[in-house]
Amino acid sequence: MKKENPLKKKLPDTAKETYSFFADVYDVVRQIPKGRVTSYGAIAKYLGTGSSARMVGWAMNAAHVATPKVPAHRVVNRNGMLSGKMHFASPTQMEELLKKEKVLVENDIITEFEKLFWDPAVELDL
DNA sequence: GCATTGACGAAGG
DNA sequence: CCCTTCGCCAATG
């Protein structure tokens, strides 16, 4: 069952399969509990690592138009750094959102990232 | 159609 | 331990 896709307006035939990847990424990110965070690599791994973490980040770029809105602010790199904060409406938006969820951010790095880390491959237990 | 880039990550020096 | 290089895969120039 497909839902309305954010990029369906473009939807190249070559990317048809790739599209499932997008949907999966969005679905996983939406399942991230409040106050928790995960990494691009973790998501990629959960999806089978066959796609590489970069594709996750790339998918996030399109997540801005995904419905419902994907909490992309809960996704950071393996370093726990807010690498994509500059892609939000405001460079501080990501940080603000995280702090609202009791996620402390210091110097663009999530404090105790290891403790707040939410691994879909573990939590969702495949 | 080839070259560069990118919200990443792991490995090598 | 810090910095550089390679790999991934799709998009964009």
Side-chain angles (χ1 to χ4, degrees), chain A residues 11-76:
Chain A
L11 187 55
D13 54 301
T14 52
K16 193 182 293 183
E17 295 182 6
T18 308
Y19 225 162
S20 304
F21 178 77
F22 275 63
D24 278 342
V25 172
Y26 299 154
D27 191 44
V28 173
V29 175
R30 283 195 216 102
Q31 291 177 64
I32 301 175
K34 189 177 179 181
R36 294 282 204 135
V37 291
T38 191
S39 65
Y40 305 96
I43 296 172
K45 198 164 193 175
Y46 171 71
L47 297 178
T49 129
S51 299
S52 158
R54 264 196 181 150
M55 297 295 89
V56 178
W58 176 63
M60 291 276 94
N61 202 356
H64 282 284
V65 289
T67 50
K69 286 291 174 66
V70 177
H73 60 276
R74 294 180 188 151
V75 185
V76 294

Side-chain angles (χ1 to χ4, degrees), chain A residues 38-41 76-83 108-111 113-114 117:
Chain A
T38 191
S39 65
Y40 305 96
V76 294
N77 63 6
R78 82 102 190 165
N79 211 11
M81 185 167 104
L82 283 61
S83 45
D108 298 340
I109 311 286
I110 296 177
T111 61
F113 168 68
E114 210 174 305
F117 186 71

Side-chain angles (χ1 to χ4, degrees), chain A residues 42 45-46 118-126:
Chain A
K45 198 164 193 175
Y46 171 71
W118 183 86
D119 191 341
V122 175
E123 303 298 328
L124 299 181
D125 189 45
L126 41 84

